[in-house]
Amino acid sequence: MEKSEVSLPTHGIVIAATPLGNPADASPRLIAGLENADVVAAEDTRRVRSLAASLGVEIRGKVVSNFDHNEDSRTSDLIAAARTGLVLVVSDAGMPVVSDPGHSLVSAAHDAGIPVTCFPGPSAVPTALALSGLNVGHFIFDGFAPRKQGARQTWLESLVGEKRAVCFFESPHRTAQTLEHAAEVLGGERRAAVCRELTKTYEEVRRGTLPELAAWAADGVRGEVSIVIEGGTGPAVEPADLVGLVLAREEAGMRLKDAAKEVAREHGVKVSSLYDEALAAKKQK
């Protein structure tokens, strides 16, 4: 399709997906939008100019930055521009709003009655899910994994009984630690896939159990990383039903917390819930 054949809105907000790494994934509407939009609001202005150059496109409109730390202050100006002209919103790669800037502007545009549409295209989430080779018929997306260990522990415990697959992003520097932590909480049989550098020259998908992937990642992981963890079977029992096992192991010499952790992982329930139940039962005795 020739660029001249692409129909563009006369005004409003357009959320446009950009290639994850391979410029050939750019849609004809994205190309036309970059060339003809009155304003291009980009997460990184240098990246969008580089993308345009690789596509052989000249950006004729005004290019402004629109990233996490200035998005709220930028919104009113972009809304004003969208009343009479076309504002194209792009992130560094993939779909804006999905763990990227865009939400504040889209929400404000709806509130103001400004037309909002989307030029669909690449997104790391469905790409990773499709490549994972896991059961992903039902899934959730959790953005970036929590950085702090306590928050990550709580998040992973919430996935113990989650029957849907979960997809999330992770820094390459924390991938090994997160996989190791996930293996501890979710168990050694839970399968996952690590997808890195999607659509790029060194694209790689590693699938296996969480311990296997943690061992592989221990040598270091490079590039942008998306992880998919297969859903669990759900807890077969309630934490209260397992209190006796925990107390028995404590009487055999284990610390209560260690006993709760071990039993919880064997039976697929939250460690914190089981520990609280066991502690309450012990106090009652």
Side-chain angles (χ1 to χ4, degrees):
M1 178 183 295
E2 296 294 331
K3 287 186 287 187
S4 60
E5 296 179 14
V6 177
S7 176
L8 296 175
T10 58
H11 70 286
I13 303 291
V14 174
I15 303 298
T18 53
L20 300 176
N22 191 329
D25 291 331
S27 72
R29 288 207 287 173
L30 170 63
I31 294 172
L34 287 171
E35 190 171 44
N36 296 290
D38 297 290
V39 178
V40 176
E43 186 176 9
D44 186 324
T45 58
R46 292 170 299 180
R47 290 281 291 270
V48 76
R49 290 187 187 281
S50 176
L51 172 64
S54 69
L55 296 173
V57 173
E58 178 186 356
I59 299 179
R60 301 170 183 170
K62 182 179 180 180
V63 179
V64 300
S65 62
N66 185 59
F67 56 94
D68 290 337
H69 299 297
N70 77 345
E71 183 178 15
D72 290 340
S73 62
R74 184 74 77 186
T75 294
S76 60
D77 289 341
L78 293 176
I79 289 294
R83 292 186 184 279
T84 57
L86 184 64
V87 175
L88 186 77
V89 181
V90 295
S91 60
D92 286 350
M95 181 65 71
V97 183
V98 182
S99 283
D100 275 327
H103 171 262
S104 296
L105 180 59
V106 171
S107 179
H110 283 302
D111 290 341
I114 301 295
V116 181
T117 191
C118 178
F119 292 172
S123 174
V125 178
T127 304
L129 290 167
L131 288 175
S132 69
L134 302 173
N135 184 1
V136 296
H138 299 279
F139 70 90
I140 57 174
F141 172 61
D142 267 354
F144 280 88
R147 294 186 179 189
K148 295 184 178 179
Q149 184 165 344
R152 190 167 61 240
Q153 175 78 22
T154 300
W155 170 65
L156 288 170
E157 287 183 354
S158 74
L159 300 179
V160 169
E162 177 58 69
K163 296 182 179 181
R164 295 167 295 183
V166 58
C167 179
F168 60 95
F169 300 148
E170 185 53 287
S171 159
H173 308 297
R174 291 190 296 271
T175 296
Q177 183 183 41
T178 295
L179 290 169
E180 184 178 356
H181 200 168
E184 292 174 359
V185 176
L186 302 179
E189 299 302 315
R190 197 81 161 254
R191 296 193 303 167
V194 178
C195 308
R196 68 176 197 90
E197 294 293 88
L198 292 173
T199 78
K200 301 177 184 178
T201 302
Y202 297 104
E203 176 179 281
E204 181 179 20
V205 177
R206 286 273 181 166
R207 188 178 69 155
T209 63
L210 286 168
E212 289 171 345
L213 292 173
W216 163 76
D219 292 333
V221 177
R222 293 183 178 181
E224 296 183 341
V225 176
S226 301
I227 298 175
V228 181
I229 299 179
E230 198 165 43
T233 58
V237 294
E238 294 297 322
D241 300 328
L242 302 171
V243 168
L245 292 176
V246 175
L247 296 180
R249 296 190 189 191
E250 185 196 29
E251 291 174 3
M254 292 185 71
R255 291 174 57 229
L256 183 67
K257 194 167 187 177
D258 292 337
K261 187 179 294 186
E262 186 175 271
V263 173
R265 289 169 185 165
E266 290 173 0
H267 294 270
V269 299
K270 286 186 179 180
V271 177
S272 58
S273 298
L274 181 53
Y275 176 72
D276 290 343
E277 291 277 3
L279 192 60
K282 185 178 178 181
K283 288 181 179 178
Q284 286 180 354
K285 284 188 176 182

